């Protein structure tokens, strides 16, 4: 492989994108959407002390949403689109290798996805004016977002090399991304509702004067969904990976201050068994069994690295399969073989 050849392929691919006026219209619409979302986010988090952290988390998640919605269209026809236009064969007979073509297409797809992040940078910088943002949160969230952009781009380029029709490859890319984003959520919700168990709830009784009796417990039993048995289905969800990997910032009263922490707290809470609940009105901490958000996070298992690993295996397998299929027949023959 040659860096010069990879750069040439990527530059040609990007040139084709940049010639289209619709590309600039898309980025402009994205900027307008971010402008509205940023304004609403400031209104939502105006009640807290860490306004900037909350607004920043919303903008990053919106960027990820736009990437999973738009990138399949831009990368899902990278290989078979050139094959249909009869330009792929002309490139394959030059000094450019199959690896140069595949990596160049992938770099171009990553660049188009990264363009949304570039457009969002002014809004991310503006959100920091609200205060409360942590340097570790900024670094980790942007790093994970960049990896997710690479994953979606690799899935699109891989399927474009495996499937002959551009329309089918784009649709299949959307299907694979939808399985990761929506399918995991559906499996979690339906699976948890389908698997049920008997739970026992304990609470303090009240005396005749309406005061809590802290010396006794009362209990009652009922059926509950067992989300703790299917929480792993959310591990490969890009939004869960982003939230679970990002360090959690807690407010003075111990609750997450941004969307990252709120998603993480919700997913981690699903890991806890619901078969025994204790509502202790006599405990100053209150709540179910007196667990604070920090105790929930400390007592549960992080899953972002497993989910990210699953995504990388899927994307890598599709990309490797497309690499093998894109090779020309002449390059599959042993060295020195002559073609009549």
């Amino acid at each position: 492989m040659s860096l010069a050849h990879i750069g040439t392929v990527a530059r040609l691919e990007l040139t084709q994108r940049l010639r289209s006026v619709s590309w600039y219209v898309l980025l402009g619409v994205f900027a307008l959407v971010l402008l509205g979302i940023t304004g609403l986010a400031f209104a939502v988090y105006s009640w807290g002390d860490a306004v900037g952290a909350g607004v920043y988390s919303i903008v990053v998640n919106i960027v990820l949403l736009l990437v999973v919605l738009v990138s399949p269209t831009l990368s899902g026809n990278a290989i078979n689109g050139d094959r249909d236009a009869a330009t792929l064969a002309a490139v394959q007979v030059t000094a450019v290798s199959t690896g140069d073509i595949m990596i160049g297409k992938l770099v171009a797809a990553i660049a188009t996805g990264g363009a949304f992040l570039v457009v969002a940078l002014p809004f991310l910088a503006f959100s920091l004016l609200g205060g409360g943002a942590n340097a570790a949160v900024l670094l980790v969230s942007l790093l994970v977002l960049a990896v997710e952009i690479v994953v979606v781009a690799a899935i699109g380029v891989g399927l474009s090399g495996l499937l002959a029709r551009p329309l089918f490859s784009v649709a299949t890319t959307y299907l694979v991304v939808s399985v990761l984003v929506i399918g995991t959520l559906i499996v979690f919700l339906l699976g948890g509702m389908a698997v049920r168990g008997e739970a026992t709830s304990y609470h303090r009784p009240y005396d005749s004067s309406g005061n809590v009796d802290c010396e006794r417990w009362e209990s009652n039993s009922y059926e509950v969904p067992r989300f703790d048995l299917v929480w792993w289905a959310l591990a490969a969800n890009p939004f869960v990976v982003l939230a679970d990997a990002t360090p959690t910032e807690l407010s003075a009263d111990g609750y997450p201050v941004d969307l990252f922490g709120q998603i993480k707290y919700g997913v981690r809470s699903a890991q806890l068994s619901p078969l025994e609940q204790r509502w202790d009105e006599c405990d100053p901490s209150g709540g179910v069994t007196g667990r604070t958000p920090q105790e929930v996070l400390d007592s549960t298992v992080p899953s972002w690295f497993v989910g990210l690993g699953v995504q990388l295996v899927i994307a890598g397998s599709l990309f490797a399969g497309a690499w093998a299929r894109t090779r020309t027949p002449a390059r599959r023959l042993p060295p020195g073989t002559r073609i009549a």
Side-chain angles (χ1 to χ4, degrees), residues 191-257:
M193 296 297 293
V195 182
R196 307 179 70 85
E198 183 175 317
T200 303
S201 175
Y202 298 89
H203 60 277
R204 300 288 189 182
Y206 289 82
D207 58 23
S208 57
S209 302
N211 298 319
V212 179
D213 185 355
C214 295
E215 300 298 327
R216 295 191 300 122
W217 287 97
E218 290 185 354
S219 63
N220 62 296
S221 299
Y222 49 91
E223 281 195 348
V224 293
R226 294 299 306 274
F227 292 110
D228 58 311
L229 300 179
V230 296
W231 67 268
W232 47 265
L234 292 174
N237 189 296
F239 295 91
V240 174
V241 170
L242 176 61
D244 199 46
T246 304
T248 305
E249 293 188 84
L250 302 178
S251 62
D253 55 358
Y255 287 90
V257 300

Side-chain angles (χ1 to χ4, degrees), residues 135-282:
V137 173
L138 303 180
L139 179 62
V140 174
S141 60
L142 290 179
L143 181 61
V144 175
L145 178 59
V147 175
E148 292 293 343
I149 291 175
V150 174
V151 168
V152 176
I155 291 174
V157 174
L159 288 171
S160 73
L162 289 173
L163 301 178
R165 298 290 184 89
L167 179 61
F168 291 160
S169 61
V170 170
T172 307
T173 303
Y174 270 114
L175 180 61
V176 173
V177 174
S178 297
V179 168
L180 294 175
V181 177
I182 303 176
T184 53
L185 183 61
I186 293 175
V187 171
F188 170 73
L189 293 176
L190 295 184
M193 296 297 293
V195 182
R196 307 179 70 85
E198 183 175 317
T200 303
S201 175
Y202 298 89
H203 60 277
R204 300 288 189 182
Y206 289 82
D207 58 23
S208 57
S209 302
N211 298 319
V212 179
D213 185 355
C214 295
E215 300 298 327
R216 295 191 300 122
W217 287 97
E218 290 185 354
S219 63
N220 62 296
S221 299
Y222 49 91
E223 281 195 348
V224 293
R226 294 299 306 274
F227 292 110
D228 58 311
L229 300 179
V230 296
W231 67 268
W232 47 265
L234 292 174
N237 189 296
F239 295 91
V240 174
V241 170
L242 176 61
D244 199 46
T246 304
T248 305
E249 293 188 84
L250 302 178
S251 62
D253 55 358
Y255 287 90
V257 300
D258 56 22
L259 188 58
F260 297 138
Q262 291 158 7
I263 294 175
K264 179 191 289 189
Y265 176 58
V267 174
R268 295 287 191 88
S269 298
Q271 298 183 24
L272 302 176
S273 173
L275 298 185
E276 181 176 316
Q277 306 281 350
R278 290 185 180 271
W279 300 85
D280 193 352
E281 293 87 346
C282 299

